[in-house]
Amino acid sequence: MKRSLAIALCALSACGGLENEPFKTGTIRGQLVAADANAVVAVVGQPALVTHPDSAGRFTLEAVPLGTVDLLIVVNAALSHRQPVVVGGASVVELGALEGRRSGKLELYVQSVGRHVLTGGTVSLVGLPLTSPIVAPENEAEFFVPAGCYEARVVVPGLPETTVSGCVGEAGLFEQHLDLEPPDGTPGSEGCSITGCEDGLVCQADFSCR
Amino acid sequence: MGCAHPTGEKGGLVTVKASADEVRQAFAGRRFALLIGIPQSHDEHWQPLRYAKKDVKDLAAVLQDPLRGRFAHVESLTTPAQTTREGVKAAVARLAALATQPEDVVVLYVSAHGTLARDARGELERYLVTSDADFHRVSQTALPIDALSAGLLASRSRRRVVVLATCHSGSGKSLLPEDVASELASLKGALRPLEEVSRASIVLSASDFLETAREDETLQNDVYTHWLIEALAGGGDRNGDGAVTATEAHDYARRRTWVFSQGRQRPSAEMVEVGADPVVLTGDVKRTGQPELYSYVPRLDGFTLRVDGVERAELPGGAAVGPGAHHVELAKGDEVLLTEEVRLEAGERLDVDSLARRTDPFLSMTATGGAFGFIDSVSRQQLLPVSPALGVAVRFERVLLKRITVEADLSGFGGQGALSLAPQSPGVPFGWSSILVGVSLAWQWDWRWVSVWVGPRVAGLWVQRSFSLDAYQGTQSAFSVTPGLLLGGAVHLTPHWEVSVGLQAMLAAVVVDGVTQTLGFAGAWAGIGYRF
């Protein structure tokens, strides 16, 4: 009965169908040489498209959108790479063996204007699956990345979120110091009465550390 | 049985001196005529005809004219004693006996009252009111018109002409019994015209059935007869060959009678065994005449014959044209029955009915080439690009209401290409094939060499796409019923060959990624067609 109905509908209007969805993404494959446990392969601007190579350094990145994508490859702390890749619909792009180049280093030092203690802060690179904690005692976050320009987002509880941009060359260094000031009326404005003060400083009545 | 030869011995050939003209004359047909004028019956129900005798006298004069008619024998019957039922029958038999060769021309002319009555079988019959006819006993006393034609069948001539300057409508030169008139009123149009039942080669009637044949005081003749005489005197030589044929004379008299009577009297004719062998009534063919186009078939009555865009004759009738190529058109008002290109040689006579029969109805088969594709650019990029197509179209012209044309078409197209699914992305290579089958119902217009038709159509569109990619191998197919419009046109290069073009626009419901989309689909093609 259903079959007859389907045939009748087909004769009267339309049946079958065309599918384009399978052709809107592709796959990238490759193998990283000398990859360590921190190795990662990601599509810049699409944080969900990230993968970690297996122990042999082989990786497969699926469902990559059609077109040209910027591929971030971190082999280890010393070697990384960014590479444009043209992805065709329902096609597999074989990149072969990838060795990486010498990484540049992004260093960010974060402190509050009131010298409060910073806890739970992180820095992430915008559009990349790379995040680093802000580590005491110097409140430092660092990234080993391929040569290029990046935007970093700094998130510290009690302090306003901020971003900073910078470029780094191959084996180069980009260093940036950030002083974060809690805005009036925010929880941070109550200062050290909540966060405490850095070593050697005492919380004052105006909530500043001296 | 002996035969002749040149030695002069018994059975040999005998040398005879004879000029080519003498030989031609010997084999040319002789001309015989019986002219009957019945001015009055002994029954006073029928009013006397003033000019019946004069019609006969005037016609005899032109037929016996040594410069025109040169009839070998003309017998005139005009007295009451001569024009009785038996007298007329006997005269017809004498006329039939005179013609001994097929080439002989036999003319029987009657100017008299006509009437209608039931015959012995109860069928309504046409009668000639002879001098002894009785108004109350028509079938027993008058002469059936059919008897005139039948009497001529005994003749060996195949060039027989009957001219009836009479009518049976109950007015003018006829009077009907009251019961017949009453019945006729209710049966009007149901009777077969006289011309259809006659077996003579040509029957020329001074008036159509149920119309009135009239006498006219100004002309001093029966109206039709007056113009017929004028035609035979030379005025009717339409093609200028020196001779006046029966059809030329009738056409001449017919048109003038129509004009003179202001449309009240419409002479008619039936032609049998006529065409290549015209019946010459007066004069001689002295030179090759102009080509002629004509028709006398009832189905073309009232159609206008246009030649090269100029109105030349109203059918039944004909027209002489110059030698060469002509565009012939038959039309009645806006209705165009025929458009045809013809090439005519001097002396050629062409029955346009043969053209109409040959080309009606038209069937054309056209091999087409063109392109089809979706109207919107997104669908062309993401579903199917514009594709070259080959096909065939079959067109049945004017199958309904003489304007509706039915066209069925089949097109196939395919190719290799790439889908463009995102900007600046590499295309997705694929191959496709597709079939489009449609039928259209179109209204057609014709102008000379050009036909244009437009109308709704419905088609089935089947599309298949094939992919051979790293991560996808396979085919996809979709079918859609596509309503739409067709606009077509053709230029007729010859009577059979045409160049045609077509534009099709359709709406196709296509399921794309599970969603039904209504998309515009269009095609254009050109083709070479042959018309049957």
Side-chain angles (χ1 to χ4, degrees):
Chain A
M1 180 66 184
K2 282 185 177 178
R3 182 180 169 82
S4 302
L5 189 61
I7 292 172
L9 285 174
C10 179
L12 289 173
S13 56
C15 60
L18 306 178
E19 297 286 338
N20 280 345
E21 282 301 324
F23 314 118
K24 292 180 178 175
T25 61
T27 300
I28 300 173
R29 285 188 193 144
Q31 184 172 16
L32 305 185
V33 177
D36 65 11
N38 294 318
V40 64
V41 178
V43 174
V44 175
Q46 305 206 39
L49 290 174
V50 59
T51 187
H52 297 279
D54 62 14
S55 57
R58 287 188 294 263
F59 70 90
T60 299
L61 200 54
E62 296 180 326
V64 180
L66 212 57
T68 302
V69 296
D70 191 4
L71 198 63
L72 174 78
I73 301 162
V74 177
V75 181
N76 52 44
L79 297 173
S80 61
H81 188 45
R82 277 176 76 158
Q83 179 176 338
V85 177
V86 178
V87 178
S91 66
V92 177
V93 182
E94 290 284 357
L95 298 180
L98 299 169
E99 294 186 339
R101 296 174 180 176
R102 288 197 296 170
S103 298
K105 187 178 182 183
L106 295 175
E107 285 185 352
L108 294 177
Y109 296 93
V110 183
Q111 65 178 18
S112 79
V113 174
R115 308 304 294 274
H116 307 141
V117 172
L118 304 182
T119 54
T122 59
V123 177
S124 58
L125 298 185
V126 175
L128 293 174
L130 299 178
T131 301
S132 174
I134 298 172
V135 180
E138 297 185 51
N139 293 337
E140 176 193 2
E142 62 180 16
F143 298 91
F144 295 95
V145 292
C149 294
Y150 299 90
E151 185 179 25
R153 178 181 295 114
V154 181
V155 178
V156 178
L159 292 174
E161 183 178 311
T162 188
T163 58
V164 59
S165 299
C167 298
V168 64
E170 187 172 324
L173 173 65
F174 173 79
E175 184 179 309
Q176 179 82 44
H177 291 262
L178 294 173
D179 290 323
L180 303 181
E181 184 174 6
D184 291 341
T186 67
S189 63
E190 296 172 0
C192 54
S193 66
I194 295 173
T195 64
C197 293
E198 294 176 359
D199 289 348
L201 299 176
V202 177
C203 188
Q204 303 298 312
D206 60 357
F207 307 125
S208 64
C209 295
R210 280 195 284 270
Chain B
M1 177 177 170
C3 60
H5 64 79
T7 62
E9 297 172 356
K10 188 178 180 182
L13 290 172
V14 177
T15 306
V16 176
K17 281 191 175 180
S19 68
D21 275 353
E22 287 171 328
V23 172
R24 186 173 57 81
Q25 197 69 31
F27 283 95
R30 295 168 298 164
R31 299 169 186 165
F32 305 102
L34 171 60
L35 312 181
I36 301 170
I38 309 176
Q40 193 168 7
S41 165
H42 78 279
D43 192 319
E44 293 181 353
H45 280 92
W46 287 290
Q47 294 296 317
L49 296 174
R50 287 172 294 172
Y51 304 115
K53 279 187 181 178
K54 184 170 183 292
D55 289 340
V56 167
K57 181 183 168 196
D58 293 350
L59 185 58
V62 74
L63 296 183
Q64 289 174 313
D65 183 345
L67 296 178
R68 296 300 312 169
R70 294 201 304 277
F71 269 60
H73 177 82
V74 176
E75 181 179 1
S76 300
L77 308 182
T78 55
T79 66
Q82 292 171 319
T83 55
T84 61
R85 171 172 153 147
E86 292 308 317
V88 170
K89 283 171 70 175
V92 171
R94 286 196 299 276
L95 175 67
L98 285 172
T100 55
Q101 304 175 57
E103 294 78 16
D104 288 343
V105 173
V106 171
V107 175
L108 171 56
Y109 169 88
V110 179
S111 179
H113 276 297
T115 191
L116 291 165
R118 294 206 171 277
D119 62 12
R121 294 169 298 174
E123 294 181 2
L124 213 50
E125 187 71 69
R126 296 162 180 81
Y127 287 88
L128 177 68
V129 177
T130 50
S131 60
D132 54 345
D134 187 328
F135 183 74
H136 297 293
R137 295 169 54 245
V138 169
S139 63
Q140 291 89 2
T141 58
L143 183 64
I145 291 289
D146 284 355
L148 297 175
S149 306
L152 290 185
L153 287 179
S155 165
R156 296 190 61 185
S157 166
R158 60 182 176 86
R159 296 175 177 177
R160 303 182 292 264
V161 181
V162 177
V163 183
L164 299 173
T166 180
C167 67
H168 309 84
S169 65
S171 57
K173 293 172 77 173
S174 74
L175 180 64
L176 303 181
E178 201 170 307
D179 57 332
V180 173
S182 171
E183 184 176 2
L184 192 58
S186 63
L187 289 177
K188 192 166 186 177
L191 288 171
R192 289 185 301 154
L194 170 66
E195 294 71 24
E196 287 186 14
V197 296
S198 169
R199 290 180 292 170
S201 294
I202 306 175
V203 176
L204 308 178
S205 184
S207 65
D208 209 349
F209 183 57
L210 297 182
E211 289 183 347
T212 303
R214 297 164 193 277
E215 292 185 315
D216 186 84
E217 202 164 332
T218 313
L219 301 177
Q220 299 280 300
N221 278 121
D222 168 85
V223 175
Y224 174 79
T225 302
H226 173 85
W227 300 116
L228 184 69
I229 291 168
E230 188 171 296
L232 294 174
D237 184 10
R238 182 171 62 206
N239 65 352
D241 63 356
V244 179
T245 65
T247 54
E248 283 178 326
H250 177 67
D251 286 351
Y252 182 94
R254 175 185 164 278
R255 177 160 288 276
R256 281 156 181 76
T257 301
W258 170 261
V259 172
F260 187 84
S261 67
Q262 297 180 314
R264 289 191 295 271
Q265 185 174 341
R266 184 179 52 184
S268 60
E270 180 202 18
M271 312 301 289
V272 182
E273 300 173 21
V274 175
D277 189 21
V279 180
V280 175
L281 295 182
T282 61
D284 289 302
V285 177
K286 294 174 178 168
R287 64 194 81 86
T288 304
Q290 296 279 74
E292 289 182 274
L293 295 162
Y294 70 94
S295 178
Y296 299 93
V297 297
R299 78 185 192 103
L300 294 182
D301 276 9
F303 275 86
T304 300
L305 171 66
R306 292 195 200 112
V307 182
D308 300 325
V310 178
E311 192 174 310
R312 296 300 303 274
E314 186 176 330
L315 301 184
V321 298
H326 295 283
H327 179 78
V328 177
E329 191 175 276
L330 278 183
K332 185 184 282 184
D334 291 335
E335 180 187 354
V336 177
L337 176 68
L338 162 76
T339 57
E340 186 89 29
E341 301 304 313
V342 298
R343 177 169 288 279
L344 298 171
E345 305 295 334
E348 188 174 351
R349 304 182 75 244
L350 180 62
D351 187 346
V352 292
D353 182 52
S354 66
L355 298 177
R357 287 185 183 282
R358 195 173 69 207
T359 55
D360 183 16
F362 293 136
L363 164 65
S364 73
M365 293 194 71
T366 305
T368 63
F372 286 84
F374 287 103
I375 292 173
D376 66 295
S377 61
V378 173
S379 296
R380 290 199 299 270
Q381 292 168 2
Q382 301 189 353
L383 296 180
L384 205 68
V386 172
S387 306
L390 292 175
V392 61
V394 179
R395 193 170 83 251
F396 299 90
E397 293 184 57
R398 299 188 290 273
V399 293
L400 294 172
L401 306 175
K402 299 189 176 181
R403 282 291 186 194
I404 304 294
T405 288
V406 176
E407 180 172 299
D409 58 81
L410 167 68
S411 294
F413 45 98
Q416 299 284 330
L419 301 179
S420 178
L421 298 177
Q424 298 177 330
S425 67
V428 179
F430 78 115
W432 72 90
S433 54
S434 188
I435 292 175
L436 182 66
V437 182
V439 61
S440 310
L441 210 60
W443 192 267
Q444 179 166 327
W445 292 269
D446 299 292
W447 299 279
R448 295 175 67 89
W449 304 281
V450 179
S451 296
V452 173
W453 55 95
V454 62
R457 70 180 252 110
V458 64
L461 173 66
W462 176 82
V463 176
Q464 184 177 69
R465 305 194 303 183
S466 301
F467 298 89
S468 182
L469 304 168
D470 297 329
Y472 189 100
Q473 290 87 38
T475 61
Q476 305 172 348
S477 60
F479 173 81
S480 174
V481 174
T482 60
L485 282 174
L486 165 73
L487 171 63
V491 176
H492 309 301
L493 304 176
T494 72
H496 290 294
W497 290 99
E498 67 178 16
V499 173
S500 57
V501 295
L503 290 172
Q504 299 172 0
M506 295 152 271
L507 283 177
V510 183
V511 179
V512 181
D513 293 326
V515 178
T516 302
Q517 300 183 12
T518 303
L519 304 170
F521 192 80
W525 54 259
I528 297 286
Y530 188 84
R531 306 166 89 199
F532 297 92

